Amino acid sequence: MPDPLSLEALEQIEAQHLLRNYARLPVAVASGADVWLHTVDGRRILDLLCGLGVTSLGHGHPNVTMAITEQAGTLLHASNLVHLEGPVRLAQRLAESSLGGGVLFQNSGAEANEAAIKLARRHKRGGEIVSLFRGFHGRTMGALSATPQESKQEPFAPLVPGFRAVPPTPEAVHAAVGDGTAAVLLETIQGESGVLPIDPDTLRAAREACDAHGALLIVDEVQSGMGRTGDMWSYEATGVVPDVITVAKALANGLPVGALVTGPHLLDVLQPGDHGSTFAGNPLVAAAAHAVLDVMQAPGFLERVRVAGDRFRAALEAVPGIASVRGRGLMLAAELDADAVGRHGSAGDLALRLVTEHDVWVNAPAPTTLRLLPPLTIGDAEIDEGVARIAAGIAAR
Ligand SMILES: *Cc1c(COP(=O)(O)O)cnc(C)c1O
């Protein structure tokens, strides 16, 4: 193999040939192994972000690699015009692990939410989609219209009509949902806005209001699902059962995938021709997802996520400069104190220093917040190492 291109060489080509859409870190990754990313210049970075909640089993998990390799030599794609055992069995497993109804595969989180929005509109024959302030559901026009964040929406107006956003309170949800509502779409813990848990009363209010008006409760489990919170699905801990969940990020440990899963009462809403996607539910991605589920459904896996989460949280809470820690399982946010923010400028500046100078990767979803989405397979020694590196980074100024 030729030498990998340097960071500078990559930046030069990107300046010519990539649209400016992403603000990339000055880090060029060559490979990954378990909790580590290896850069082209030979650094080893402790990955506590998992490419935004995707590689939850770490990099190069042998079961996933083997499943993909084997499937690649068997069949990559044949389309949704035929029957395919891998995707069909995956649908069965996803449904049996959650709402017990039907699955529609997509290729990303945004697409899964688009499909859920279409399902809700078909179910109600129209109707409004209600979402919560600070929620995040993706960047396609429908999902974006359900993502009430000025900076993300404003440049792309006009948005899709028929969306309404309300504060995450029981009163606001009850006031917004009526007979003209098709669905309430929400996260139980708002990930992109900084790991903000939604109050259980608000979730219950959403369930009640949807029941009262024949609307669907859609829980976006794109980030919070697949074991991230210590349950397979975050709604399990809330006592509220949705009509639909949407799934993506960690489902195939890095291959692009999305899915919606419904309760049994919604199996017949979508009819042939209503929706479609050329790549969705392809056998390669399904093979990876089966391997992921095999690992996550093994006895003790989710219990270990909870134990690891408790250890991480306790260790972070003891770090000077961290005022508080929130989240569940291994979906965590550390709130910096005013002194730490003052010394570093912002959590974003600190996160940049952590990855470039302390070889540990987390991100900053808000100016005072660090977010951690570490591999669910992370060991105690790596948790301690990660916290030590974050502490060193905070103390370095
Ligand atoms: C990341 C995310 C999405 C969007 O997923 P994409 O695969 O980037 O389209 C939607 N909802 C939530 C909660 C997410 O965290």
Side-chain angles (χ1 to χ4, degrees), residues 257-336:
V257 64
L260 66 84
V261 188
T262 75
H265 56 297
L266 298 173
L267 262 172
D268 296 328
V269 175
L270 292 179
Q271 294 300 315
D274 275 349
H275 196 44
S277 165
T278 300
F279 290 125
N282 90 60
L284 183 75
V285 173
H290 277 292
V292 171
L293 285 177
D294 287 345
V295 173
M296 291 191 180
Q297 291 179 334
F301 183 88
L302 295 173
E303 173 59 24
R304 166 63 198 168
V305 174
R306 293 193 276 267
V307 170
D310 290 344
R311 184 185 187 92
F312 227 129
R313 170 189 292 266
L316 285 169
E317 279 169 349
V319 170
I322 292 178
S324 63
V325 181
R326 63 176 177 268
R328 270 196 325 116
L330 287 170
M331 183 172 182
L332 296 169
E335 200 60 33
L336 301 172

Side-chain angles (χ1 to χ4, degrees), residues 22 52-54 107-113 135-140 143 147 185-193 219-225 246-249 256-258 331 371 373:
Y22 295 99
L52 294 163
V54 171
N107 311 286
S108 68
E111 282 178 277
N113 286 324
F136 180 86
H137 301 291
R139 308 295 197 125
T140 53
T147 296
L185 169 61
L186 53 77
E187 302 151 90
T188 65
I189 302 173
Q190 296 179 322
E192 293 304 295
S193 298
V219 171
D220 181 339
E221 295 273 12
V222 168
Q223 188 165 149
S224 57
T246 54
V247 187
K249 293 196 162 98
V257 64
M331 183 172 182
R371 175 175 52 168
L373 302 168

Side-chain angles (χ1 to χ4, degrees), residues 230-253:
D231 291 303
M232 188 55 92
W233 310 110
S234 71
Y235 77 80
E236 292 173 55
T238 69
V240 168
V241 180
D243 299 294
V244 178
I245 59 172
T246 54
V247 187
K249 293 196 162 98
L251 176 54
N253 210 52

